[in-house]
Structures are given as structure tokens and as C-alpha cells.
Amino acid sequence: FGGLSGIGFVGTDGRLAMVSDRGNFVAGQLIYDEAGAPLSLVGVTIEPIRNSKGAELPRAYARDAEALAVIERDGVPTGVRVGFENLTRVADFNLENGVPRGPAREVTIPAWLSDTRTNETLEAVCIAPPASPIAGSTLLLTEGVITGDGAHSAYLLGRNDRGPLSYRSGNGTNPTDCAFLPNGDLLVLERGIAFVNFAAKLFRVPAAEVKPGAQLQGELLFEGVGGDLDNMEGLAVHTLPGGETRITMISDDNFNDWQRTLLLEFTLAD
């Protein structure tokens, strides 16, 4: 258990799915205490991610899953979309009782991205909600594929909204995941190192600015160093039954004894 780098909620009852950069799906249910704070992750399953033939991924180079976005049809989660680095690609998987399973269905991405094969390529994948001007489109955001003016290369996959764009990160941090708020605004989680501690920042980009050809730069919502933070890599947004919007982050411990696997949740103020 560990190496968690992407997360998404697949049910209104706290059911979630995550990916590990060693090629596993980790699923379970997040339960809360009486005050509404996260209490425990229960009913956990760990299953290997499979290729298009239904076989387990053959080697570490192919297993490096870094991002997960939930696919919905008419408001119901039906699958997950996973981004990989090293062997850079995007693939969809079915959901069975809240658990991603089955053979991968490859998603076509631009050649410049699939041909870039390092551990700093595709770091974030998120799907725009119905309220977004680019509803249904998928945003692909890179960590280390840098444009000529120093921004992070990105691409939108959509029927009507398809094309390149870029993202300018904060000083000393790089994007590790993204998620859309219900109103279509984009959240980007960034990670860095500050004084031998991990640093994290969360930025918000207005919905109207997320479009092909744009260079995105968000408003800072949150930042921190050390303490209750670690190598924060996964980001998800979900709505509690009472209507409260929660922002969830997870950390990747890289399977190191000196790092931690953390799940943090924040309430988005109205």
C-alpha cells in the first residue's frame, strides 16, 4: 500500500478510487466522524491495472499511473480515466461496484505528448463538469514539458474544445493534479520542496479562462510547508449529501519509510 498519486470519488457515500504509481487501483469508502471530519478508509481493495488485453502491466515503466478522473454519464460515475507517465498514455476503465476493473481502453492523445517518455510528463487529468463552458472535455496537464516561455504544456481533449494550452505554476512548485469545481472553475494542486520539507499550493482558475490557446494562471487558495503535508500528488472534489463541497488531497509516499501516506480534506467556503 502506497505510492498514491491520483484520486476520484465514485459515489455519494464516500466511495473513492485511487491509482498507485506501481500500477494498482486502490478503492474503498471514506467514512466520517460526527463532526464531518474524515475518520477512516474501509473496505479497501487493491487490484492491478490491466492493459488493453486484460493482462497485468508487464513492467515498472508501463505501470507509472499518475492521475485519475471519474467519468460520469447523466451524473452517474461509470468509469475512470487514468493518465500515465514514462510510457505516456491515457486509458479508460470500467467501474464495477465502485472498483475500476477490466481491460484498458486507450484514449488518443497528441503525438508530442505520447512521444515524450519521462517521469515528468503527464501528471494531471481532469474532466470538466456540466456547468463548465467546456463541459465533458478532458484537461491533460504536464509537469515537466515546458513551453518556450516557461509554462507547463497542456492539452484539451473535447469534441468542440480541442487544442493546446499552457499553465503557469507558482514559484518553486509544479502541478501534480487538477480537479474541476461543480461551477466549472479549475483547481490545480502544486508540489515543491522548501527547506527540506514538502510544500503544497492550491490554485483556482475561473471557468471562462479554461479554453484552447489560453495560458492559465490561478489565484492562490492555499499553501503550506511541512507539518501535516507530505508529497501531495492527488486532488479530488466531491459534494457531501448536505451540499457541502469538499476538496480532498492525497500524498505519494514513494514507498519510503521517511514519508507518509496522508489524506487531507478541506471545505470550500461559499
Side-chain angles (χ1 to χ4, degrees):
F1 184 86
L4 303 176
S5 50
I7 182 173
F9 283 82
V10 296
T12 57
D13 56 355
R15 293 188 183 275
L16 55 80
M18 300 175 283
V19 286
S20 164
D21 53 21
R22 288 194 178 175
N24 290 316
F25 284 121
V26 181
Q29 183 179 15
L30 182 63
I31 59 174
Y32 297 86
D33 63 19
E34 293 181 355
L39 178 63
S40 182
L41 188 63
V42 300
V44 175
T45 62
I46 302 176
E47 299 188 12
I49 299 174
R50 299 185 180 275
N51 64 18
S52 59
K53 296 181 179 179
E56 294 184 24
L57 301 177
R59 58 192 187 280
Y61 184 72
R63 295 173 185 162
D64 197 355
E66 287 293 326
L68 180 148
V70 178
I71 301 168
E72 294 188 354
R73 296 285 182 266
D74 299 321
V76 178
T78 59
V80 296
R81 180 159 290 174
V82 177
F84 298 81
E85 60 185 12
N86 279 310
L87 184 57
T88 306
R89 64 201 191 279
V90 176
D92 291 348
F93 300 84
N94 290 332
L95 278 172
E96 297 179 8
N97 298 318
V99 178
R101 289 197 175 110
R105 301 188 304 279
E106 298 292 329
V107 175
T108 301
I109 62 175
W112 64 262
L113 183 53
S114 60
D115 291 345
T116 306
R117 298 190 173 187
T118 72
N119 66 347
E120 292 186 344
T121 55
L122 186 54
E123 192 72 22
V125 175
C126 48
I127 300 174
S132 168
I134 57 165
S137 297
T138 300
L139 174 63
L140 309 177
L141 179 57
T142 67
E143 178 184 10
V145 185
I146 306 301
T147 65
D149 60 355
H152 300 268
S153 298
Y155 198 85
L156 273 173
L157 297 175
R159 291 181 180 177
N160 301 315
D161 305 285
R162 177 180 291 267
L165 66 165
S166 62
Y167 174 79
R168 187 164 295 282
S169 60
N171 292 330
T173 51
N174 291 314
T176 59
D177 208 354
C178 62
F180 284 94
L181 292 171
N183 70 350
D185 286 355
L186 172 68
L187 298 181
V188 180
L189 175 64
E190 298 182 10
R191 165 202 59 199
I193 302 291
F195 305 109
V196 304
N197 288 309
F198 286 106
K201 298 177 184 177
L202 185 68
F203 289 89
R204 182 174 186 167
V205 180
E209 297 180 11
V210 185
K211 55 188 176 183
Q215 182 170 106
L216 310 178
Q217 187 166 15
E219 170 195 6
L220 182 65
L221 293 184
F222 163 86
E223 66 177 325
V225 177
D228 289 330
L229 297 174
D230 204 274
N231 179 30
M232 310 310 297
E233 284 212 11
L235 178 69
V237 171
H238 68 119
T239 303
L240 297 184
E244 184 177 79
T245 300
R246 289 284 180 96
I247 299 169
T248 307
M249 303 178 188
I250 57 166
S251 67
D252 177 358
D253 67 354
N254 292 304
F255 296 93
N256 288 323
D257 292 339
W258 54 273
Q259 288 184 248
R260 299 167 294 170
T261 297
L262 301 176
L263 185 148
L264 305 178
E265 272 206 343
F266 303 86
T267 298
L268 183 67
D270 294 332

